[in-house]
Amino acid sequence: MAKTTVPLHFALEKIYKILNQLIKISNSKINRFENTVQKLNERYESFSQERLIDKNLVRKDLEKLKHSYNLEKLNRSLTQQVKALDTDIHKLEELPIWYIKFGGLTRNGDSNFVGIKTQFSDQWFEGLKNVQNVFLKFQDECHKDLFKKDFEYEVEAEISCLSGNLDYGTAWYTYKLHKITNVKIIGGKGIQDLQVKFMRERDKALSLKAEGWVKRLTPKELTEQQREKVSVQNQINFYQNSYEKAIHVSGLLSPKLTKYKSLLADLKQMGVKPLSTFPNSMTFVQNPDYQAIHSGYKKVRVFANLSDDDLLLSLEKIEEIGLINMPLLYERWCLLQIIKVLVHNYNYVPTEDWKRKLLRIVETGKHNKSIEFVNNDLKRNIKIWYEPTLENGRTPDFVLDVFFQQKQGNQYTKRLVMDAKFYSDDLLRRIGGISKVITELYHTKGYSEGERNAVFMLHPAKNSIPEKVSPQAWGSNTYLGELKMFEWDQPMRSDKFHQYGAVCANPVLRLSYLDELQRLLGMFLQYGIEDNNLQGRPDDVESINFCIACGSHDLKHVPKSNSNPRSSWYECNNCKHFATYNHCHRCDTRLIKNGDYWSYHSQMPMEPLNIKCPKCESLV
């Protein structure tokens, strides 16, 4: 009896294990969809016509704005910058004094419009009736960072006039700055504008203080909020429907699992046990009933996408591993969450063998294989490396290599490096805070590989940002490189904004941790892979657009209501998320507004739905 029922025991046991895995997957989806619906409902209910303003951030902004037109402090900083740029400055001969009124960049970005003179009492030589334009070029591009638009300067420099040309009855002149030994701000419209702006912002702050730091949203802000409410409601409907489907599947499978468990118990009482030689025995091959049982079992495996016996055994083996040390457990949990965001939130499809590769990495500890994900709609491939070795010999926890095609067909690659640190709030403070950790990862360990890669730390600390720089809810425990925060930050801002930071990924914060990772990955895939120092180019991105909220590529252009001819507005056809692509009117950097919740640029403390430029920190 025992021998002839071995094929039945084999099939029942395997189907039981597959059903068990399917129910675990269904229950996991039920929990995920339920949490998502709860989180979205909380977001929807939090919408209000009023907003509580962070007075500390307002105060910090006002202090910074007041310092921005303090000539003594500005010139002291300029002196230090000149010394840092020209290490041999003491060897330079005494140079003549020039006065320069600095304007904006020319269309091709190789020079600036200026007014120029050699005597303070002279009139500016600039675009007048008989002079079309006056330009200034730089022999050393790093000198360009010393000057700001609409500021007037006194400089000790070697400047030559390259050319003066007549064009349709008017002349244009080009000057070139070769050397510089000193630069000093003497005034200008830019300084006056900053003074006026400070007075205006101070008056707004005083009004908010009188109102208890509660601001009523403007009609424009309410319109933007309404767009976001529509998007959130659409997502609630989608995930509620997905939740109900997962409940239905679990309800169908659970009774069957109970039935198979009972049948296996009956066979055990009969003394039926599995054989190591089965299912390769002749009894199985020759008996048509047993062949039918095995054929049905194979169909179940294919239907459940668990057709690989080795993979099923590996899943069981991983379940038996048990507890491991917490930093390693947190590290592997972070890896799974990254994969979850890419697959579930951003529609990347993993290769068929990705589970086997991942399990082999966990089982063997060999990390020389990547896990690959594809999004054909966006023409992108992503390779995830777990503890790879960089060219400098360092081994970060995770590396994401993004291979993408731009709309014009050009192929590029960008790299995001992440390192999981299982630090408590207390430990993070004792080792110097996120500034110390980010400095170590980006600079000391060289994860940036010559400042080419974006580098972010993942951590579970809930209060990692003691002095937040952004008013958004995530600003207390996450830093996305959106504004200056560290002492070494200042020289980096020219082109390294949003290229380093720390993101809170805490499994206890079950309703928000995945959004933190989604915001980071969405920022990198939407903004980090682009050249955002546009200098006159269109505001839209060069790669294929996608929705940062739901991952869809199905977007439609929305007619613009502003006067910016370069900007682009998009609405997601799936979830109705609204995004605008603009540029900073001060430094021309691309800016992307993703609504209130998904914004990774810092918001203005007194204008909650407006954003700051991450490069120059000015208002959009």
Side-chain angles (χ1 to χ4, degrees):
M1 176 70 176
K3 182 176 180 181
T4 56
T5 54
V6 164
L8 179 61
H9 183 281
F10 171 84
L12 289 176
E13 184 180 51
K14 291 297 183 182
I15 293 175
Y16 173 81
K17 290 179 177 179
I18 290 175
L19 281 173
N20 192 35
Q21 290 294 335
L22 289 176
I23 289 175
K24 287 181 179 179
I25 292 171
S26 296
N27 290 337
S28 175
K29 287 187 174 184
I30 289 170
N31 290 332
R32 180 163 62 88
F33 295 145
E34 183 179 29
N35 288 340
T36 302
V37 170
Q38 180 182 343
K39 174 190 66 182
L40 290 169
N41 276 321
E42 288 180 1
R43 274 185 61 194
Y44 191 85
E45 292 169 3
S46 70
F47 289 118
S48 170
Q49 294 186 346
E50 297 178 337
R51 184 68 62 89
L52 183 65
I53 301 301
D54 189 325
K55 62 182 179 181
N56 292 323
L57 286 180
V58 172
R59 186 177 297 112
K60 286 172 65 174
D61 265 16
L62 286 175
E63 290 174 357
K64 189 180 299 182
L65 190 54
K66 192 172 184 179
H67 291 159
S68 70
Y69 61 84
N70 185 311
L71 292 184
E72 184 179 345
K73 291 185 177 181
L74 291 173
N75 287 328
R76 190 160 54 239
S77 175
L78 275 176
T79 299
Q80 294 301 318
Q81 285 181 258
V82 172
K83 288 181 179 179
L85 292 173
D86 296 305
T87 55
D88 293 331
I89 191 171
H90 61 282
K91 298 179 182 178
L92 294 175
E93 68 275 17
E94 187 175 334
L95 298 176
I97 293 178
W98 294 76
Y99 297 91
I100 301 175
K101 183 188 345 181
F102 220 72
L105 279 171
T106 57
R107 182 173 297 179
N108 57 17
D110 68 343
S111 58
N112 285 78
F113 297 101
V114 297
I116 196 165
K117 58 185 179 180
T118 56
Q119 297 294 326
F120 181 79
S121 58
D122 289 348
Q123 288 189 339
W124 291 107
F125 182 59
E126 55 184 334
L128 301 170
K129 183 177 179 180
N130 295 321
V131 180
Q132 190 171 19
N133 283 306
V134 179
F135 307 107
L136 180 68
K137 292 178 177 289
F138 292 87
Q139 180 170 299
D140 191 336
E141 285 295 310
C142 67
H143 288 149
K144 188 181 294 186
D145 295 331
L146 298 171
F147 301 93
K148 294 181 180 179
K149 182 182 177 183
D150 294 330
F151 279 40
E152 295 175 8
Y153 299 87
E154 177 186 283
V155 298
E156 295 178 38
E158 179 185 327
I159 298 177
S160 63
C161 183
L162 296 181
S163 58
N165 296 278
L166 194 64
D167 186 13
Y168 297 104
T170 56
W172 54 269
Y173 292 82
T174 300
Y175 290 81
K176 187 170 186 179
L177 190 152
H178 302 276
K179 301 176 184 177
I180 188 167
T181 57
N182 192 29
V183 57
K184 183 171 67 174
I185 301 170
I186 58 174
K189 181 177 179 297
I191 291 291
Q192 297 168 8
D193 288 346
L194 288 170
Q195 291 174 320
V196 171
K197 183 176 181 181
F198 170 77
M199 299 297 290
R200 185 174 64 245
E201 294 298 300
R202 189 188 64 175
D203 290 344
K204 286 166 58 177
L206 291 173
S207 297
L208 283 170
K209 182 180 179 181
E211 297 294 329
W213 298 104
V214 175
K215 177 189 176 182
R216 288 193 63 83
L217 298 184
T218 65
K220 180 181 177 182
E221 290 168 338
L222 289 171
T223 298
E224 291 188 33
Q225 181 176 266
Q226 182 59 35
R227 291 194 190 109
E228 196 158 353
K229 287 180 69 175
V230 171
S231 174
V232 172
Q233 185 60 64
N234 282 330
Q235 291 178 69
I236 290 173
N237 295 339
F238 173 81
Y239 284 107
Q240 182 65 39
N241 186 45
S242 300
Y243 169 75
E244 291 169 0
K245 288 180 179 178
I247 287 281
H248 179 69
V249 170
S250 180
L252 290 176
L253 294 178
S254 294
K256 294 178 173 57
L257 183 69
T258 302
K259 185 179 295 185
Y260 276 97
K261 186 176 182 179
S262 176
L263 290 171
L264 287 171
D266 291 343
L267 290 177
K268 185 177 180 180
Q269 287 184 350
M270 296 178 191
V272 178
K273 297 179 180 179
L275 294 177
S276 59
T277 58
F278 192 79
N280 296 320
S281 65
M282 291 303 293
T283 302
F284 181 85
V285 173
Q286 294 173 354
N287 190 309
D289 293 328
Y290 294 158
Q291 286 179 0
I293 292 171
H294 190 253
S295 175
Y297 158 64
K298 287 195 294 183
K299 290 179 181 178
V300 170
R301 288 195 312 174
V302 172
F303 175 77
N305 199 25
L306 287 171
S307 55
D308 191 326
D309 280 329
D310 291 337
L311 178 59
L312 190 58
L313 292 172
S314 295
L315 285 170
E316 295 168 10
K317 185 175 180 180
I318 294 301
E319 286 183 353
E320 296 170 1
I321 288 177
L323 291 175
I324 53 180
N325 72 78
M326 289 303 294
L328 182 58
L329 183 62
Y330 178 69
E331 182 182 293
R332 291 177 176 174
W333 177 83
C334 285
L335 175 60
L336 292 175
Q337 306 318 303
I338 292 168
I339 293 173
K340 187 186 295 186
V341 170
L342 290 176
V343 173
H344 295 309
N345 300 60
Y346 285 141
N347 306 321
Y348 283 80
V349 179
T351 54
E352 291 185 0
D353 61 345
W354 78 275
K355 299 186 188 76
R356 193 182 302 108
K357 282 186 177 181
L358 179 59
L359 293 169
R360 191 177 300 126
I361 290 171
V362 174
E363 284 185 273
T364 65
K366 295 180 180 179
H367 304 151
N368 59 343
K369 296 288 186 181
S370 64
I371 308 170
E372 299 181 26
F373 300 82
V374 179
N375 189 321
N376 289 324
D377 293 323
L378 299 181
K379 293 183 170 56
R380 300 184 187 186
N381 295 351
I382 294 178
K383 288 185 177 181
I384 298 182
W385 304 83
Y386 178 42
E387 293 187 344
T389 301
L390 303 178
E391 291 182 2
N392 60 14
R394 297 290 187 173
T395 55
D397 291 332
F398 320 115
V399 168
L400 270 69
D401 285 327
V402 182
F403 304 84
F404 61 99
Q405 180 177 311
Q406 293 184 336
K407 296 169 185 172
Q408 302 300 321
N410 302 319
Q411 303 281 345
Y412 291 94
T413 304
K414 287 284 187 177
R415 172 169 283 187
L416 169 63
V417 179
M418 291 176 282
D419 214 54
K421 299 294 186 185
F422 188 69
Y423 293 157
S424 64
D425 290 323
D426 181 60
L427 177 58
L428 192 57
R429 281 192 297 269
R430 282 191 281 116
I431 64 175
I434 64 165
S435 173
K436 181 69 176 297
V437 179
I438 294 172
T439 304
E440 180 184 11
L441 298 180
Y442 194 87
H443 293 291
T444 308
K445 290 188 175 182
Y447 287 174
S448 66
E449 295 186 290
E451 301 182 358
R452 292 175 298 172
N453 308 332
V455 179
F456 284 83
M457 160 186 141
L458 306 180
H459 65 87
K462 299 179 187 177
N463 299 293
S464 59
I465 314 293
E467 291 192 20
K468 58 190 293 190
V469 295
S470 296
Q472 288 100 310
W474 50 260
S476 297
N477 48 35
T478 287
Y479 173 60
L480 296 173
E482 67 276 10
L483 296 173
K484 292 190 290 290
M485 181 179 281
F486 314 127
E487 291 182 2
W488 50 265
D489 226 351
Q490 179 61 44
M492 300 282 289
R493 301 310 293 182
S494 60
D495 60 353
K496 301 303 176 189
F497 43 88
H498 288 306
Q499 288 295 294
Y500 43 82
V503 173
C504 182
N506 188 322
V508 176
L509 305 174
R510 61 188 182 91
L511 296 184
S512 63
Y513 74 81
L514 208 62
D515 285 358
E516 299 295 299
L517 286 171
Q518 180 176 344
R519 190 178 291 106
L520 168 62
L521 294 175
M523 177 184 75
F524 182 74
L525 294 171
Q526 184 186 60
Y527 196 77
I529 66 173
E530 300 287 336
D531 176 11
N532 296 301
N533 292 291
L534 296 175
Q535 304 302 332
R537 286 180 287 164
D539 291 338
D540 203 351
V541 291
E542 282 80 17
S543 56
I544 298 175
N545 305 76
F546 71 96
C547 174
I548 193 174
C550 74
S552 173
H553 72 287
D554 185 11
L555 310 178
K556 67 178 180 181
H557 269 288
V558 177
K560 297 177 293 187
S561 61
N562 64 11
S563 58
N564 175 16
R566 288 167 48 184
S567 65
S568 292
W569 293 9
Y570 287 96
E571 184 179 79
C572 175
N573 286 325
N574 285 359
C575 74
K576 303 304 179 183
H577 174 74
F578 189 82
T580 63
Y581 298 72
N582 296 294
H583 66 274
C584 174
H585 295 292
R586 182 176 176 186
C587 68
D588 218 26
T589 299
R590 176 189 286 122
L591 302 165
I592 303 178
K593 293 184 67 173
N594 280 300
D596 189 15
Y597 190 78
W598 291 113
S599 172
Y600 41 78
H601 298 317
S602 175
Q603 293 178 346
M604 297 290 292
M606 291 191 290
E607 298 180 33
L609 300 183
N610 214 341
I611 58 176
K612 288 183 179 180
C613 172
K615 181 176 180 178
C616 69
E617 303 195 1
S618 68
L619 177 65
V620 175

